[in-house]
CSV table of all heavy atoms in Angstrom, one decimal:
chain,number,residue,atom,x,y,z
A,1,PRO,N,0.8,-1.2,0.0
A,1,PRO,CA,0.0,0.0,0.0
A,1,PRO,C,0.8,1.3,0.0
A,1,PRO,O,0.5,2.3,-0.6
A,1,PRO,CB,-0.8,-0.1,1.3
A,1,PRO,CG,-0.7,-1.5,1.7
A,1,PRO,CD,0.5,-2.1,1.1
A,2,LEU,N,2.0,1.3,0.7
A,2,LEU,CA,2.8,2.5,0.8
A,2,LEU,C,3.6,2.8,-0.5
A,2,LEU,O,3.8,3.9,-0.8
A,2,LEU,CB,3.8,2.4,2.0
A,2,LEU,CG,3.1,2.3,3.4
A,2,LEU,CD1,4.2,2.1,4.4
A,2,LEU,CD2,2.2,3.4,3.7
A,3,LYS,N,3.9,1.7,-1.3
A,3,LYS,CA,4.6,1.9,-2.5
A,3,LYS,C,3.8,1.9,-3.8
A,3,LYS,O,4.1,2.6,-4.7
A,3,LYS,CB,5.7,0.7,-2.6
A,3,LYS,CG,6.9,0.8,-1.7
A,3,LYS,CD,8.0,0.0,-2.3
A,3,LYS,CE,9.2,-0.2,-1.3
A,3,LYS,NZ,9.0,-1.4,-0.4
A,4,ASP,N,2.7,1.1,-3.8
A,4,ASP,CA,2.0,0.9,-5.0
A,4,ASP,C,0.8,1.9,-5.2
A,4,ASP,O,0.1,1.9,-6.2
A,4,ASP,CB,1.4,-0.5,-5.1
A,4,ASP,CG,2.6,-1.5,-5.1
A,4,ASP,OD1,3.7,-1.1,-5.4
A,4,ASP,OD2,2.3,-2.7,-4.8
A,5,LEU,N,0.4,2.6,-4.1
A,5,LEU,CA,-0.7,3.5,-4.2
A,5,LEU,C,-0.2,4.9,-3.8
A,5,LEU,O,0.6,5.1,-2.9
A,5,LEU,CB,-1.8,3.1,-3.3
A,5,LEU,CG,-2.5,1.8,-3.7
A,5,LEU,CD1,-3.3,1.2,-2.5
A,5,LEU,CD2,-3.4,2.0,-4.9
A,6,ALA,N,-0.8,5.9,-4.5
A,6,ALA,CA,-0.5,7.3,-4.1
A,6,ALA,C,-1.7,8.0,-3.4
A,6,ALA,O,-2.8,8.0,-4.0
A,6,ALA,CB,-0.1,8.1,-5.4
A,7,PRO,N,-1.6,8.5,-2.2
A,7,PRO,CA,-2.7,9.1,-1.5
A,7,PRO,C,-3.1,10.5,-2.1
A,7,PRO,O,-2.2,11.2,-2.5
A,7,PRO,CB,-2.2,9.3,-0.1
A,7,PRO,CG,-0.8,9.2,-0.1
A,7,PRO,CD,-0.3,8.5,-1.4
A,8,ILE,N,-4.4,10.7,-2.2
A,8,ILE,CA,-4.9,12.0,-2.7
A,8,ILE,C,-5.3,12.8,-1.4
A,8,ILE,O,-4.8,13.9,-1.1
A,8,ILE,CB,-6.0,11.9,-3.7
A,8,ILE,CG1,-5.6,11.1,-4.9
A,8,ILE,CG2,-6.5,13.3,-4.1
A,8,ILE,CD1,-6.7,10.9,-5.9
A,9,THR,N,-6.3,12.3,-0.7
A,9,THR,CA,-6.8,13.0,0.5
A,9,THR,C,-7.6,12.1,1.3
A,9,THR,O,-8.2,11.1,0.8
A,9,THR,CB,-7.6,14.2,0.2
A,9,THR,OG1,-8.1,14.8,1.4
A,9,THR,CG2,-8.9,13.9,-0.6
A,10,LEU,N,-7.6,12.3,2.6
A,10,LEU,CA,-8.6,11.7,3.5
A,10,LEU,C,-9.9,12.4,3.2
A,10,LEU,O,-9.9,13.6,2.8
A,10,LEU,CB,-8.1,12.1,4.9
A,10,LEU,CG,-8.6,11.4,6.2
A,10,LEU,CD1,-8.1,9.9,6.1
A,10,LEU,CD2,-7.9,12.0,7.4
A,11,TYR,N,-11.0,11.7,3.4
A,11,TYR,CA,-12.3,12.4,3.2
A,11,TYR,C,-13.3,12.1,4.3
A,11,TYR,O,-14.2,12.9,4.5
A,11,TYR,CB,-12.9,12.2,1.8
A,11,TYR,CG,-13.6,10.9,1.6
A,11,TYR,CD1,-14.9,10.7,2.0
A,11,TYR,CD2,-12.9,9.8,1.1
A,11,TYR,CE1,-15.5,9.5,1.8
A,11,TYR,CE2,-13.5,8.6,0.9
A,11,TYR,CZ,-14.8,8.4,1.2
A,11,TYR,OH,-15.4,7.2,1.1
A,12,ALA,N,-13.1,11.1,5.1
A,12,ALA,CA,-14.0,10.9,6.2
A,12,ALA,C,-13.4,10.0,7.3
A,12,ALA,O,-12.6,9.1,7.0
A,12,ALA,CB,-15.3,10.1,5.7
A,13,MET,N,-13.8,10.3,8.5
A,13,MET,CA,-13.4,9.5,9.7
A,13,MET,C,-14.8,8.9,10.1
A,13,MET,O,-15.7,9.6,10.4
A,13,MET,CB,-12.9,10.3,10.8
A,13,MET,CG,-11.6,11.0,10.5
A,13,MET,SD,-10.2,9.9,10.0
A,13,MET,CE,-9.5,9.6,11.6
A,14,VAL,N,-14.8,7.5,10.1
A,14,VAL,CA,-16.1,6.8,10.4
A,14,VAL,C,-15.9,6.2,11.8
A,14,VAL,O,-15.1,5.2,12.0
A,14,VAL,CB,-16.3,5.7,9.4
A,14,VAL,CG1,-17.7,5.1,9.7
A,14,VAL,CG2,-16.4,6.4,8.0
A,15,PRO,N,-16.7,6.7,12.8
A,15,PRO,CA,-16.6,6.0,14.1
A,15,PRO,C,-17.4,4.7,14.1
A,15,PRO,O,-18.4,4.6,13.5
A,15,PRO,CB,-17.3,7.1,15.0
A,15,PRO,CG,-18.1,7.9,14.1
A,15,PRO,CD,-17.6,7.8,12.7
A,16,TYR,N,-16.9,3.7,14.8
A,16,TYR,CA,-17.6,2.5,15.0
A,16,TYR,C,-18.2,2.5,16.4
A,16,TYR,O,-17.8,3.3,17.3
A,16,TYR,CB,-16.6,1.3,14.9
A,16,TYR,CG,-16.3,1.0,13.4
A,16,TYR,CD1,-16.0,2.0,12.5
A,16,TYR,CD2,-16.4,-0.3,13.0
A,16,TYR,CE1,-15.8,1.7,11.2
A,16,TYR,CE2,-16.1,-0.6,11.6
A,16,TYR,CZ,-15.9,0.4,10.7
A,16,TYR,OH,-15.7,0.1,9.4
A,17,ALA,N,-19.2,1.6,16.6
A,17,ALA,CA,-19.8,1.6,17.9
A,17,ALA,C,-20.2,0.1,18.3
A,17,ALA,O,-20.5,-0.7,17.4
A,17,ALA,CB,-21.1,2.4,17.9
A,18,ILE,N,-20.2,-0.1,19.6
A,18,ILE,CA,-20.6,-1.5,20.0
A,18,ILE,C,-22.1,-1.4,20.1
A,18,ILE,O,-22.7,-0.6,20.8
A,18,ILE,CB,-19.9,-1.9,21.3
A,18,ILE,CG1,-18.4,-2.1,21.0
A,18,ILE,CG2,-20.6,-3.1,21.9
A,18,ILE,CD1,-17.6,-2.6,22.1
A,19,ILE,N,-22.8,-2.3,19.3
A,19,ILE,CA,-24.3,-2.3,19.3
A,19,ILE,C,-24.7,-3.7,19.6
A,19,ILE,O,-24.0,-4.7,19.4
A,19,ILE,CB,-24.8,-1.8,18.0
A,19,ILE,CG1,-24.4,-2.7,16.8
A,19,ILE,CG2,-24.4,-0.4,17.7
A,19,ILE,CD1,-25.1,-2.4,15.5
A,20,VAL,N,-26.0,-3.9,20.1
A,20,VAL,CA,-26.5,-5.2,20.4
A,20,VAL,C,-27.9,-5.3,19.8
A,20,VAL,O,-28.6,-4.3,19.5
A,20,VAL,CB,-26.6,-5.4,21.9
A,20,VAL,CG1,-25.2,-5.5,22.5
A,20,VAL,CG2,-27.4,-4.4,22.6
A,21,HIS,N,-28.4,-6.5,19.7
A,21,HIS,CA,-29.8,-6.8,19.3
A,21,HIS,C,-30.7,-6.3,20.4
A,21,HIS,O,-30.3,-6.4,21.6
A,21,HIS,CB,-30.0,-8.3,19.0
A,21,HIS,CG,-31.3,-8.6,18.5
A,21,HIS,ND1,-32.3,-9.0,19.3
A,21,HIS,CD2,-31.8,-8.6,17.3
A,21,HIS,CE1,-33.4,-9.2,18.6
A,21,HIS,NE2,-33.2,-9.0,17.3
A,22,ALA,N,-31.8,-5.8,20.1
A,22,ALA,CA,-32.8,-5.3,21.1
A,22,ALA,C,-33.1,-6.3,22.2
A,22,ALA,O,-33.5,-5.8,23.3
A,22,ALA,CB,-34.0,-4.7,20.4
A,23,SER,N,-33.0,-7.5,21.9
A,23,SER,CA,-33.4,-8.5,23.0
A,23,SER,C,-32.3,-8.7,24.0
A,23,SER,O,-32.6,-9.3,25.1
A,23,SER,CB,-33.6,-9.9,22.3
A,23,SER,OG,-32.4,-10.4,21.7
A,24,VAL,N,-31.1,-8.2,23.8
A,24,VAL,CA,-30.1,-8.3,24.8
A,24,VAL,C,-30.4,-7.5,26.0
A,24,VAL,O,-30.7,-6.3,25.9
A,24,VAL,CB,-28.7,-7.9,24.2
A,24,VAL,CG1,-27.6,-7.9,25.2
A,24,VAL,CG2,-28.3,-8.9,23.0
A,25,LYS,N,-30.3,-8.1,27.2
A,25,LYS,CA,-30.6,-7.4,28.4
A,25,LYS,C,-29.5,-6.5,28.9
A,25,LYS,O,-28.9,-6.7,30.0
A,25,LYS,CB,-31.0,-8.4,29.5
A,25,LYS,CG,-32.1,-9.4,29.1
A,25,LYS,CD,-33.5,-8.9,29.6
A,25,LYS,CE,-34.6,-9.9,29.4
A,25,LYS,NZ,-34.9,-10.1,27.9
A,26,ALA,N,-29.1,-5.5,28.1
A,26,ALA,CA,-28.0,-4.6,28.5
A,26,ALA,C,-28.4,-3.2,27.8
A,26,ALA,O,-28.6,-3.2,26.6
A,26,ALA,CB,-26.7,-5.1,28.0
């Protein structure tokens, strides 16, 4: 990736979140 691709720009930071099914008792 560092040698074979040339970066243009970052465009988004995507946050991840811990989610559960509604039936989970938490």
Side-chain angles (χ1 to χ4, degrees):
L2 299 178
K3 286 201 190 91
D4 301 339
L5 292 164
I8 302 176
T9 180
L10 199 61
Y11 75 89
M13 299 298 270
V14 183
Y16 279 48
I18 293 187
I19 64 173
V20 292
H21 185 265
S23 65
V24 174
K25 305 263 185 292

